[in-house]
């Protein structure tokens, strides 16, 4: 038996004919950067998220970096300002902050959702806090109504890290349309993935959108007229053409992921595994299905022996990485515990029901075996 974590070849094979036509269209156009495909995708993705603007960039990290940089250019942030962020996020969120000479203010997450806790957010705000980056981790939209209210009260900029949450919504409002801006990644493994690197920023702030667009284009809105010391971070025509196809099928693929998640949640039955919380249908798009287990490494090894591939998102928290040795004295016990226990199970629009049932059976059997062993000891 071999159940892959995610079979990207099969996912893209569904749309092979359309992707080939799109690639041919771009090749034959003779226009490969900042053309009609990019303009069309930006409008379509903005419409999907419910925002006025979308700016395509090179990747998800650049989406966050450029937004923070634009706020600095607009004098809304300055060197040394604090940006609050959940401590258990992927390191890219932290990199975007420090790349802009801002200070990451790491906050322990809500242990139920793994997202930014509004209660802890309120407690952590200092006189230097100027922005907050709620991360919609694993595809679950953070508690944005409460986060927005707190941010408004304290005059904080809100930048959603929506890299894993394309299509997630709450009260009819999608990820990407809750903050002042949002950063998206279209890395190939995302719910809507390019066939390469790509990213985007959504916002309804026209001045911000124009500043970001200039910064990502060498600091220029008009050729050879440079407003800022910018960089080169642009989504290219061929990836935009591919993403236009993928966007058409995003909601269908989200529903397929939710069906897999339902099977897991209804059938995994043991006290050794903590399952993800899912109270509101539209709030979670299950980019990842992440469980927790105090015997995580044993569980992963057991599943591997059965032919089930799993991944760990993420084995080492950002504050314990060598790159952030200056943060290693922070006391973040919950974050540390989460990173030692999380395990991502296979989930994709194409995983077979029998495979999901087999994985569920293995998980339940592992727990029976471990409980018998614990009882003997």
């Amino acid at each position: 038996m071999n159940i892959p974590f995610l079979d990207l070849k099969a996912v893209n094979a569904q749309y092979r004919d359309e992707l080939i036509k799109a690639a041919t269209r771009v090749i034959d156009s003779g226009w490969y950067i900042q053309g009609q495909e990019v303009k069309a995708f930006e409008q379509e993705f903005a419409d999907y998220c419910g925002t006025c603007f979308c700016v395509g960039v090179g990747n998800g990290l650049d989406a966050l970096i450029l937004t923070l940089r634009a706020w600095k250019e607009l004098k809304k942030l300055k060197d040394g300002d604090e940006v609050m962020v959940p401590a258990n996020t992927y390191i890219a969120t932290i990199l975007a902050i420090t790349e802009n000479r801002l200070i990451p203010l790491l906050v322990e997450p809500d242990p139920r959702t793994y997202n930014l806790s509004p209660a802890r957010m309120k407690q952590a705000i200092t006189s230097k806090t100027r922005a907050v980056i709620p991360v919609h981790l694993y595809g679950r939209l953070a508690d944005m109504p409460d986060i927005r209210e707190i941010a408004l009260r304290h005059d904080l900029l809100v930048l959603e890290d929506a890299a894993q949450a394309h299509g997630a919504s709450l009260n009819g409002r999608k990820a990407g349309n809750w903050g002042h801006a949002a950063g998206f990644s279209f890395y190939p493994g995302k719910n809507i993935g390019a066939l390469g690197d790509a990213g985007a920023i959504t916002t309804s702030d026209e001045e911000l959108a124009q500043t970001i667009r200039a910064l990502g284009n060498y600091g220029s809105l008009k050729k050879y007229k440079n407003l800022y010391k910018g960089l080169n971070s642009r989504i290219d025509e061929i990836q935009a053409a591919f993403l236009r196809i993928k966007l058409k099928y995003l909601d269908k693929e989200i529903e397929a992921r939710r069906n897999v998640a339902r099977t897991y949640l209804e059938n995994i039955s043991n006290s050794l595994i903590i399952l993800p919380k899912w109270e509101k249908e539209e709030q979670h798009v299950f980019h990842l299905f992440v469980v927790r287990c105090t015997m995580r490494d044993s569980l992963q090894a057991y599943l591997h022996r059965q032919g089930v591939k799993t991944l760990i998102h993420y084995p080492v928290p950002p504050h314990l990485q060598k790159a952030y040795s200056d943060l290693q004295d922070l006391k973040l016990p919950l974050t540390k515990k989460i990173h030692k226990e999380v395990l991502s199970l296979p989930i994709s629009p194409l995983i077979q029901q029998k495979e999901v049932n087999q994985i569920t059976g293995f998980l339940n059997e592992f727990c029976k075996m471990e409980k018998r062993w614990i009882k003997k000891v």
Side-chain angles (χ1 to χ4, degrees):
M1 178 189 300
N2 178 29
I3 302 177
F5 180 76
L6 176 63
D7 186 348
L8 280 178
K9 184 177 179 181
V11 169
N12 288 318
Q14 303 174 94
Y15 315 121
R16 188 176 187 276
D17 290 345
E18 288 183 80
L19 292 170
I20 290 171
K21 285 179 184 176
T24 302
R25 186 171 69 242
V26 173
I27 292 166
D28 291 347
S29 75
W31 195 300
Y32 310 120
I33 300 289
Q34 301 292 83
Q36 292 306 310
E37 297 291 346
V38 170
K39 287 179 184 176
F41 173 70
E42 288 178 339
Q43 187 61 60
E44 288 160 9
F45 194 66
D47 291 344
Y48 180 83
C49 294
T51 59
C52 296
F53 307 101
C54 169
V55 181
V57 294
N59 53 69
L61 174 57
D62 283 358
L64 300 177
I65 289 174
L66 286 166
T67 304
L68 293 172
R69 169 75 185 282
W71 278 330
K72 291 184 73 179
E73 295 289 352
L74 295 169
K75 309 303 181 188
K76 295 186 177 183
L77 291 175
K78 64 181 185 306
D79 287 5
D81 283 347
E82 287 180 347
V83 180
M84 186 182 297
V85 64
N88 61 314
T89 185
Y90 182 53
I91 197 169
T93 321
I94 316 296
L95 289 170
I97 297 169
T98 56
E99 178 67 17
N100 279 289
R101 297 188 295 279
L102 301 166
I103 307 301
L105 178 58
L106 304 186
V107 181
E108 293 269 56
D110 182 327
R112 293 180 65 258
T113 66
Y114 312 119
N115 282 336
L116 183 64
S117 160
R120 289 189 168 118
M121 176 184 172
K122 282 191 287 189
Q123 294 169 357
I125 293 170
T126 78
S127 60
K128 295 181 179 180
T129 311
R130 294 289 179 268
V132 58
I133 304 181
V135 181
H136 307 318
L137 201 61
Y138 310 145
R140 179 184 172 124
L141 195 74
D143 188 355
M144 292 309 298
D146 284 355
I147 289 170
R148 275 169 55 94
E149 183 183 340
I150 297 164
L152 182 63
R153 198 180 313 143
H154 292 273
D155 196 25
L156 303 180
L157 296 165
V158 179
L159 171 56
E160 297 172 70
D161 183 338
Q164 301 181 357
H166 321 70
S169 65
L170 188 61
N171 303 329
R173 190 172 191 165
K174 280 192 169 71
N177 189 23
W178 284 92
H180 296 93
F184 286 88
S185 166
F186 303 119
Y187 183 78
K190 303 298 185 184
N191 286 21
I192 170 173
L195 275 70
D197 260 330
I201 298 110
T202 55
T203 183
S204 289
D205 181 335
E206 184 173 9
E207 184 180 33
L208 178 64
Q210 288 292 83
T211 305
I212 291 168
R213 191 175 296 283
L215 284 169
N217 187 43
Y218 302 100
S220 172
L221 287 173
K222 186 177 180 181
K223 198 167 185 178
Y224 304 132
K225 299 289 184 180
N226 299 80
L227 303 171
Y228 312 104
K229 297 174 184 176
L231 51 92
N232 177 6
S233 181
R234 305 172 298 200
I235 191 170
D236 64 63
E237 281 288 283
I238 204 158
Q239 296 303 336
F242 291 157
L243 288 167
R244 293 183 68 196
I245 293 164
K246 295 291 200 72
L247 183 58
K248 293 189 300 182
Y249 301 103
L250 177 57
D251 287 342
K252 181 193 77 170
E253 293 206 353
I254 288 171
E255 189 51 41
R257 287 174 175 275
R258 286 175 176 155
N259 287 335
V260 175
R262 285 189 194 96
T263 300
Y264 279 142
L265 290 168
E266 290 169 4
N267 294 289
I268 296 173
S269 177
N270 60 74
S271 57
L272 298 179
I273 293 178
I274 299 173
L275 296 169
K277 304 300 179 186
W278 186 23
E279 301 88 1
K280 295 185 178 180
E281 170 82 10
E282 73 279 10
Q283 192 171 5
H284 210 320
V285 293
F286 289 99
H287 168 59
L288 299 170
F289 190 94
V290 180
V291 300
R292 280 173 57 198
C293 180
T294 55
M295 294 174 287
R296 188 268 309 282
D297 293 344
S298 296
L299 174 59
Q300 185 178 39
Y302 172 76
L303 290 172
H304 182 75
R305 290 195 298 273
Q306 311 309 315
V308 178
K309 302 300 184 293
T310 60
L311 292 177
I312 298 172
H313 296 89
Y314 305 95
V316 182
H319 77 286
L320 295 180
Q321 298 282 359
K322 185 178 179 181
Y324 287 107
S325 56
D326 56 318
L327 300 177
Q328 289 183 4
D329 290 336
L330 291 176
K331 304 299 180 188
L332 298 164
L334 176 57
T335 292
K336 193 173 178 180
K337 180 178 174 62
I338 287 171
H339 283 257
K340 284 185 175 179
E341 295 180 356
V342 289
L343 185 67
S344 300
L345 303 181
I347 187 168
S348 86
L350 296 181
I351 190 170
Q352 300 297 307
Q353 183 65 46
K354 67 177 182 180
E355 293 175 322
V356 180
N357 292 338
Q358 287 170 329
I359 294 167
T360 300
F362 293 143
L363 287 164
N364 292 339
E365 183 59 31
F366 172 82
C367 290
K368 289 177 187 175
M369 288 169 21
E370 289 299 321
K371 284 177 181 177
R372 285 197 294 267
W373 185 84
I374 292 169
K375 209 168 186 181
K376 281 184 185 178
V377 173

